[in-house]
Amino acid sequence: MDIEIDEPEFIAPLKTTSNKRRYVLPIDDAHPFDLDALGSGAGRTVVDRLIYLIPTCPTIATQAFQLAVGRTTQMRDTTLYQNLLYAYEQAVAVAGTGNPLPAWNELTPFDQSWVDETNRKNSEEKIKLEVELKTYTSNMIKESIRMAHRDLAEFHRSMGDYQTALKHYAKLREYCATSQHVLDMCLSVLELLLEQRNYAHIPTYVFKAEPALDATTNSLRNSNQGPTATQAPLGKEKIAAEREKVQSKLDLATALSHLGQGAYEKAAGSFLKIGPIKALGDWAKKVVAPSDIAIYGTLCALASYPRSAIKSHVLNNASFSVYIEQEPYVREVVEAYMASKFKTVLDILERNSTRHMVDIHLSSHVQNLVHLIRSRALVLYFQPFASIKLESMSLAFGWTPEYLEQQIVGLIQAGEIQARVDKQNRILQAKRTDQRAALFARAMKAGSEMQATNRKLLLRMRLQQADLVIKAPTKPQQSSLGHSGEIHQSDPYR
Amino acid sequence: MAPAGSSSSGSEAISLEHLVQYLATTGQIQEDVNQTLRTFGTKDTREVILASKLPSGQDPLELLNAQNNTLGYLYILSARMSFPNTPPPSLPLIEAFCKDFNPEHARFAPDRVTALAKAMVQAAGENLKLILEPLRDLATRYPPTPSHLTTLHPIFLTACVTTRHFATALPILSSPIFNIDTSLSELSYNDNLIYHYAGGVAFGALKRWREAEEFLEICVTAPGQIPAAIQLEALKKLTLVQLILYGKATAPPKYTNPTLIRILKNTPYHTLAKAYPQTISSLTATISRDIDIFKAEQNLGLVQQVIQRAPRWLIRRLTLTYLTLGLGDIAKEVGIENEEEVRAVVVSMVESEDINASISVDGTVTFATSTAQFSKAEIDKAVAQAQAQSQLLQELERTMNSSKEYLVKAIKHKDDAWGPDEDVMFNTHPGGSSWTDENLYS
């Protein structure tokens, strides 16, 4: 772990991220938030998400804190516990004196004995695992070495030490005997990278996993066909299901990686490809909840897909609609968008903004996505009009006319809307071009440009024919600039 | 008299008297005269004799006529001017020669013409502007057509730019160069570079940006194995001129030396071009760090003009977004505080037909869609120009097709393989012009 020496070690990694987001997100009737839904997940992710949430949402910080403490003490990562305390302190600071939050030690006393006990257990465990690894290495038992590395990697991961965990996974690779082993390794690494939110790294392991997946499937199929298959033969469907399980996980990882790197269109494509929920297995709890997948996929699609693609890929997508069922408002958004009720779209997005903002994967992209969706909505809305009053347009979007105008001007300048604003009469008017005149202008311009080009090329050709080509001076000091020196004596433009 | 003259040319000890007598006769073959002048006497004495006076103390030039005895006059003049110990000829004498000399005769001795022009510049010293007139005559009358480049062009242009008499150069600059004949004068690549660079500078100073752009571009794109320093200077100026002309820097032609473009990327000129157009205050902030570089490279004046023009480009951009705008709104957008100032800019833009707009009493500016309208006469003129151009190209192609070099190559190629079509020999059919098209527009 990267530790700055003069900082208490548990603060260092968190400080950089949390300083950026010192705003408070409202949670009230207009912006509902379901903490229980978040708590229904499993594993470290839940605590990570809660820590992410606590400083920005003082209103529910107390409950979230208690929930998180409960979860943390079931795990073995003591630094996480410290992080949690720090996050809560931040929430207390943000909430300020106006609406004070109880100090953390009023809620749950700091469990020093738990920390000590866990630390002791951890170091014992670590030593035990390392000794095991050493023994296996000296005995050269390949399979055991692989498992020892795997155990160590998992141990470090549970401690939150991702670097060491990755190192063990990398070493483990040498001892993989079958493609199934490689696949397992890749999936574990992907899970780890997702937990770490290291989006740039994900594609590497997805690419590694894909051939391994093919190989595994093939070998399963072959062993099936083999006449000596004594074990219960795996049915074709079973193989397909196995494959789908892995493929879905890979799709999810790819999608999150694209989202994390801001490639919304690719992300949408990958999200929409993900297979049924049960194929995701424990990832649905440990990595991303199905309802989150619905939100990510839909927002990305709305922000990057044309309307027809949204209809065919989102609404008519049997497997993705299962995800959408998990989060009813997502369907409302899509339907309102398709019906051109943009005000409703924006209202729903605003209503759920808190939900989006506290999401660890989505939060840094919410603003971009919403901006893109709004721009598309504006373009779509104006399409059928030749001219429209800004007033009525602002009503349709529920914005002030000034804000609307600002948005529209931005879109015109970006070339998204072919129109001009009549600022005095507050009208947006579609551009009409006189094609005939434009053609004439273009032809005349092309003509004169061509003539100038001809002239210049002719001279160039003549120069080359006469061999008046710039050559390197025979003496290196002799600069060809020398001749223009006299011109330079005075600036002729002043 | 004539036979005596020609026989004397062979003799060793030739006197100026004889020479002048020989020269003063008219009607000889000019090639012989040139040969005589070039070879009489010994190498060391030749210039001394030419630069000296007659035994009678008379000036030999008085016996000669600039128009009829051009070559003799030219030799004596140039010898006298470049010979250190003789008093230079008087300015009126030079002026008269430049006005009256016979260009066809003078073309037999291109080196003397060049030497004369160079010596004139040298002799003039500080009073360079006195010789602009004769230099212009020289440069106008010497080449067979105005489209020929000679060594006189860069000398004259440099003199004009140095003395800041830009308008004097216009008659020469107004006809584009597209003929190069090295037998006409001993051209070097530098002559071409300097002529077009100085021409670009002159047009820029006269605010004729379109022409300035063309001249600088010719300098920047001159063929070469390595880029010359003057080309980089030209490219810097070209970037600034384009900002003034189009509000953005356009990509130079494909045949520009890539090294030049790469070097430019690391200069403040590129930074300015990328930031352009913005409000005056933010542009000033952008260049503030590099102002010394602009000053040192003598481009600060141009840079300031670029910046002063920024509001016009900003307003121009507004016309694409807005139909109507209040003067106050425009002022806010372009970063000018004073509404009256904005009004002045808008009015001047309407006057120069940059935009098509009207200002109403309450200060509302209405931008009309500005589509250029062309009269029939304009279109006819353009068509005629295009026809002339295509005729020129066709002519050129025929010359090329009948040139020895091309034929040799084509026939060799034909032997090797299938080769080009039969029409190599008699290329008159229209398809033949296709190669020019491809080259020019690709």
Side-chain angles (χ1 to χ4, degrees), chain A residues 405 409 412-413 419-425 429 431-432 434 437-438 440-441 444 450-466 468-473 479-481 483-484 486-494, chain B residues 161 164 166 176-180 187-190 192 194 196-197 201 204-205 214 217-218 221 223-226 228-231 237 255 298 300-302 319-326 329 364 367 374 379 385-386 389 393 396 440-441:
Chain A
E405 191 187 311
V409 165
I412 294 175
Q413 279 168 353
R420 297 203 291 173
V421 178
D422 186 339
K423 188 145 179 159
Q424 241 50 31
N425 301 320
Q429 200 146 42
K431 241 178 233 177
R432 279 185 299 263
D434 180 347
F440 266 100
M444 293 293 264
M450 246 171 240
Q451 283 181 20
T453 317
N454 274 350
R455 216 162 43 229
K456 283 181 250 180
L457 283 175
L458 196 54
L459 171 66
R460 197 178 150 80
M461 193 177 89
R462 295 272 195 233
L463 285 170
Q464 273 167 334
Q465 276 175 349
L468 291 184
V469 178
I470 303 162
K471 288 166 189 143
S479 158
S480 39
L481 181 61
H483 301 266
S484 68
E486 38 207 313
I487 297 175
H488 269 264
Q489 273 161 10
S490 66
D491 184 348
Y493 306 103
R494 304 186 75 181
Chain B
V161 171
R164 307 175 60 85
F166 304 111
I177 299 287
F178 50 85
N179 267 319
I180 302 289
L187 283 169
S188 80
Y189 67 81
N190 253 326
N192 172 46
I194 294 175
H196 283 108
Y197 178 77
V201 172
E214 182 166 332
E217 192 192 305
I218 290 174
T221 59
Q225 296 152 342
I226 56 152
I230 192 172
Q231 286 185 295
K237 285 196 162 58
Y255 44 85
Q298 304 289 1
L300 191 57
L302 213 47
T319 66
L320 299 176
T321 318
Y322 292 98
L323 262 177
T324 61
L325 260 183
D329 293 321
T364 309
F367 301 119
F374 299 99
I379 290 167
Q385 268 175 0
Q389 184 95 42
L393 288 177
L396 199 75
L440 290 177
Y441 315 130

Side-chain angles (χ1 to χ4, degrees), chain B residues 76-324:
Chain B
I76 296 176
L77 259 187
S78 55
R80 245 191 243 183
M81 292 196 68
S82 48
F83 207 67
N85 297 328
T86 44
S90 67
L91 190 61
L93 214 59
I94 299 174
E95 275 175 358
F97 174 77
C98 293
K99 206 169 269 169
D100 294 335
F101 77 98
N102 182 335
E104 281 167 31
H105 292 179
R107 276 174 219 142
F108 284 104
D111 51 332
R112 303 300 291 209
V113 180
T114 312
L116 175 69
K118 279 188 182 154
M120 275 161 68
V121 172
Q122 199 133 40
E126 291 293 295
N127 302 317
L128 208 52
K129 52 174 171 280
L130 295 178
I131 59 156
L132 287 182
E133 192 87 356
L135 271 180
R136 188 181 61 190
D137 287 334
L138 214 52
T140 328
R141 302 190 58 227
Y142 180 72
T145 71
S147 66
H148 276 84
L149 183 70
T150 67
T151 45
L152 303 170
H153 282 80
I155 298 174
F156 170 61
L157 248 286
T158 314
C160 285
V161 171
T162 318
T163 53
R164 307 175 60 85
H165 283 67
F166 304 111
T168 322
L170 278 183
I172 298 262
L173 290 174
S174 58
S175 46
I177 299 287
F178 50 85
N179 267 319
I180 302 289
D181 187 350
T182 37
S183 69
L184 203 60
S185 56
E186 283 174 357
L187 283 169
S188 80
Y189 67 81
N190 253 326
D191 291 316
N192 172 46
L193 293 181
I194 294 175
Y195 174 69
H196 283 108
Y197 178 77
V201 172
F203 274 130
L206 294 169
K207 298 199 195 303
R208 290 173 60 164
W209 307 114
R210 205 167 291 280
E211 287 106 325
E213 189 208 4
E214 182 166 332
F215 269 67
L216 290 170
E217 192 192 305
I218 290 174
C219 181
V220 171
T221 59
Q225 296 152 342
I226 56 152
I230 192 172
Q231 286 185 295
L232 181 63
E233 295 308 307
L235 184 57
K236 289 173 181 169
K237 285 196 162 58
L238 179 64
T239 312
L240 296 177
V241 168
Q242 282 176 340
L243 288 182
I244 292 176
L245 199 53
Y246 308 119
K248 58 174 195 247
T250 51
K254 266 193 234 154
Y255 44 85
T256 316
N257 197 316
T259 323
L260 280 175
I261 302 168
R262 213 176 49 231
I263 301 176
L264 185 80
K265 289 235 161 88
N266 297 325
T267 61
Y269 298 91
H270 185 70
T271 323
L272 176 62
K274 266 178 83 178
Y276 204 75
Q278 287 174 6
T279 56
I280 290 183
S281 50
S282 64
L283 280 179
T284 316
T286 310
I287 64 146
S288 60
R289 242 177 334 113
D290 306 311
I291 211 144
D292 290 333
I293 299 178
F294 291 129
K295 207 181 266 174
E297 291 178 357
Q298 304 289 1
N299 282 329
L300 191 57
L302 213 47
V303 169
Q304 266 153 5
Q305 290 192 51
V306 168
I307 292 176
Q308 286 306 319
R309 255 182 112 83
R312 301 173 78 95
W313 293 113
L314 290 173
I315 292 177
R316 184 88 180 254
R317 202 151 67 176
L318 289 180
T319 66
L320 299 176
T321 318
Y322 292 98
L323 262 177
T324 61

Side-chain angles (χ1 to χ4, degrees), chain A residues 38-55:
Chain A
L38 182 57
S40 70
R44 193 187 163 91
T45 322
V46 179
V47 183
D48 276 340
R49 282 172 183 253
L50 286 171
I51 290 179
Y52 196 79
L53 173 151
I54 288 170

Side-chain angles (χ1 to χ4, degrees), chain B residues 35-74:
Chain B
Q35 195 59 25
T36 312
L37 284 165
R38 204 175 280 281
T39 51
F40 79 89
T42 60
K43 209 176 162 192
D44 308 323
T45 56
R46 207 177 295 145
E47 296 294 307
V48 183
I49 294 175
L50 279 174
S52 61
K53 292 208 165 174
L54 289 174
S56 55
Q58 203 179 8
D59 187 341
L61 290 179
E62 282 174 20
L63 297 174
L64 295 173
N65 176 311
Q67 197 169 7
N68 296 330
N69 319 109
T70 299
L71 276 173
Y73 215 98
L74 175 63

